[in-house]
Amino acid sequence: MSQSIRIAISGGGLAGASLMQALLQYPHLDVHIFESAPAFKESGLAIGITRNAQAALDLLGPPAPQLLQRAGAVPMKGVRFMIAEGEGQGQVINEVDNSSGKRLTSIIHRAAYLQQLLAGVPADRMHASKKLEQIDRNPDGSVTLRFADGTSHECDILVGADGVHSVVRQHVLGKDDPAAQPRNTGVWLVMTLQPYEKARAIMGQELVDADDAREYSWVGEGSYILHNVLSDGQLVQFVIASADEGPQSPDQWRRTVSADEIKELYINWPKALRQAVDGLICQEPEQHAMYLWEHPPARTYTSGPVCVMGDAAHATTPWHGSGGGMSLEDSLVLSTLLGRATSPKEAQAALRAYDHVRRPRTQRIVESSLTTGMMLIGKGRQTGMEMKLSGNLLPRWDFILDIDMLEHRNEAIQKMLDELASSA
């Protein structure tokens, strides 16, 4: 007979919410989710849910993929990598479409997806304005969370889904561990969401077409542009990126970039994209750019009854479009294992199995993403034309997209069984 297991999730973003939604199906799990902000809301614009993540949603059961659809996800019919500068300007480096029947990626607004994930969560399980300040391990093996407002909560298992600034990660690794804090990659980006008709009028029907929705990545010489369609074809996401030449302050999260500096980066780009930069980004004399950060590889994602997931475990740069997808994979594996646990002791075995299976894959994605990003912004060893001739760009996604999620989940289950057998 299953013993009730008290689970606390710290962090009410997409990672925490997707895990919360997945755990609700298990009546013996008493799950509560805590968010530091006054309300459960998501920052940022859009994310891509690639086919590996969609496979994870399929395995979570019918409600999971339906939530994606309800949130206005737009399936991409193709993904194109284009040469923006120099030899071969305007040519396709690599392209993949869904003609083979394989899903590619669906673009979804973060806030809309979060709203759907939390829609079915009982109100008494959701706790806002709960900034986690201290984690205490108790003699009986339980964990006490202490919040900034003076309240506390006791649980058997704590899952840190508290993002790149994770308090839980510092607890798991120790504050002095070099991997406890994220690092600045020196790459910055400016993002905007614009009405579909406005973007289409500026960029043209060939590049912005909801009936033939495709994600475009433009490779420049020190600069980059991405654009795609989302929210049932009502919005266009437009992103520019570049990299600073010198080292960045370890605590600098944003920088100000002038419109003139941005325009200079794109002066030799195709006309339609120069117009888009002017009309969609450079309407103000200055823009606030966001630096891209990532986590160094951690030696573990778990410590006793505490673990981390999502950006708290493996914050990554966005070049593989896998940050959200990794969180959904985490949710599949964690929820499957915790759902099989019949006691707090077994739940800790579940966390160890989760770490064994998820850490190697996610850390490989983080490392590969930054290398891919350097290629896409023209800081790699090859120009756009050289990438086109070598054909070595698209294969960088193969190990991410083509994973067998059923086998991955089953590997985690077997590891948990092995853990339980060894401790019997």
Side-chain angles (χ1 to χ4, degrees), residues 1 101 103 130 160 164 241 260 271 306-307 320 328 349 388 394:
M1 181 175 178
R103 296 177 290 192
K130 296 296 179 182
V164 66
D260 289 341
K271 181 180 179 181
V306 182
C307 77
H320 275 319
L328 296 177
K388 176 182 174 69
L394 274 182

Side-chain angles (χ1 to χ4, degrees), residues 85-108:
E85 285 185 274
E87 181 186 3
Q89 184 182 67
Q91 292 187 27
V92 177
I93 299 173
N94 278 128
E95 179 175 14
V96 62
D97 59 35
N98 60 0
S99 59
S100 66
K102 287 186 175 181
R103 296 177 290 192
L104 297 176
T105 186
S106 290
I107 309 301
I108 189 168

Side-chain angles (χ1 to χ4, degrees), residues 106-421:
S106 290
I107 309 301
I108 189 168
H109 196 296
R110 284 175 173 270
Y113 192 31
L114 181 66
Q115 183 179 21
Q116 289 297 324
L117 287 170
L118 293 174
V121 178
D124 62 350
R125 302 287 188 94
M126 298 170 58
H127 311 275
S129 297
K130 296 296 179 182
K131 180 177 175 58
L132 182 60
E133 289 196 334
Q134 184 175 327
I135 302 168
D136 294 334
R137 303 275 190 97
N138 302 319
D140 64 355
S142 64
V143 179
T144 299
L145 314 184
R146 302 194 184 280
F147 303 103
D149 64 359
T151 62
S152 62
H153 179 84
E154 189 173 294
C155 61
D156 300 306
I157 296 293
L158 168 61
V159 180
D162 48 343
V164 66
H165 305 284
S166 175
V167 172
V168 182
R169 181 185 180 92
Q170 294 180 40
H171 175 84
V172 168
L173 296 176
K175 290 184 178 181
D176 295 331
D177 190 303
Q181 301 292 342
R183 59 192 175 196
N184 189 342
T185 66
V187 180
W188 55 265
L189 55 80
V190 178
M191 304 178 292
T192 184
L193 286 179
Q194 296 287 341
Y196 174 81
E197 293 299 337
K198 177 182 177 180
R200 182 181 170 98
I202 292 174
M203 299 174 66
Q205 179 178 344
E206 182 180 353
L207 297 181
V208 181
D209 185 358
D211 293 328
D212 187 33
R214 297 176 186 271
E215 181 171 273
Y216 283 81
S217 287
W218 293 85
V219 179
E221 298 173 2
S223 52
Y224 168 85
I225 285 177
L226 173 140
H227 55 89
N228 49 38
V229 179
L230 65 149
S231 295
D232 290 326
Q234 299 177 48
L235 295 173
V236 170
Q237 178 177 231
F238 190 82
V239 182
I240 66 170
S242 187
D244 290 341
E245 296 298 332
Q248 298 306 310
S249 169
D251 58 356
Q252 186 176 358
W253 290 88
R254 297 183 180 274
R255 62 161 288 187
T256 299
V257 56
S258 70
D260 289 341
E261 183 181 352
I262 293 173
K263 291 177 182 180
E264 183 65 25
L265 287 170
Y266 297 95
I267 194 169
N268 295 318
W269 280 53
K271 181 180 179 181
L273 293 166
R274 294 199 311 272
Q275 290 175 341
V277 169
D278 289 349
L280 302 180
I281 296 287
C282 293
Q283 294 300 289
E284 300 293 334
E286 291 184 337
Q287 291 289 333
H288 295 292
M290 177 179 67
Y291 280 112
L292 300 181
W293 289 66
E294 66 175 15
H295 274 137
R299 69 181 187 279
T300 182
Y301 286 171
T302 185
S303 174
V306 182
C307 77
V308 287
M309 67 172 295
D311 283 351
H314 39 71
T316 183
T317 54
W319 306 107
H320 275 319
S322 293
M326 285 193 288
S327 294
L328 296 177
E329 290 182 3
D330 288 348
S331 292
L332 169 66
V333 173
L334 261 179
S335 64
T336 299
L337 298 178
L338 289 171
R340 296 175 71 91
T342 60
S343 68
K345 182 180 179 180
E346 289 192 2
Q348 290 193 34
L351 299 191
R352 293 193 296 273
Y354 157 78
D355 174 66
H356 176 83
V357 170
R358 293 298 298 153
R359 185 159 44 88
R361 171 169 167 78
T362 54
Q363 290 183 349
R364 182 184 176 190
I365 293 174
V366 172
E367 180 182 6
S368 179
S369 178
L370 183 58
T371 303
T372 302
M374 293 299 102
M375 296 170 65
L376 292 176
I377 63 173
K379 296 292 186 180
R381 296 179 179 179
Q382 292 183 313
T383 65
M385 179 55 74
E386 288 169 340
M387 279 188 270
K388 176 182 174 69
L389 295 175
S390 67
N392 67 353
L393 185 59
L394 274 182
R396 297 190 63 83
W397 275 262
D398 289 349
F399 81 97
I400 301 172
L401 301 177
D402 294 335
I403 185 174
D404 185 328
M405 284 307 303
L406 178 60
E407 181 179 313
H408 189 62
R409 184 196 68 178
N410 290 344
E411 179 188 356
I413 293 172
Q414 185 58 53
K415 179 62 179 176
M416 179 179 172
L417 294 174
D418 293 343
E419 287 278 348
L420 294 175

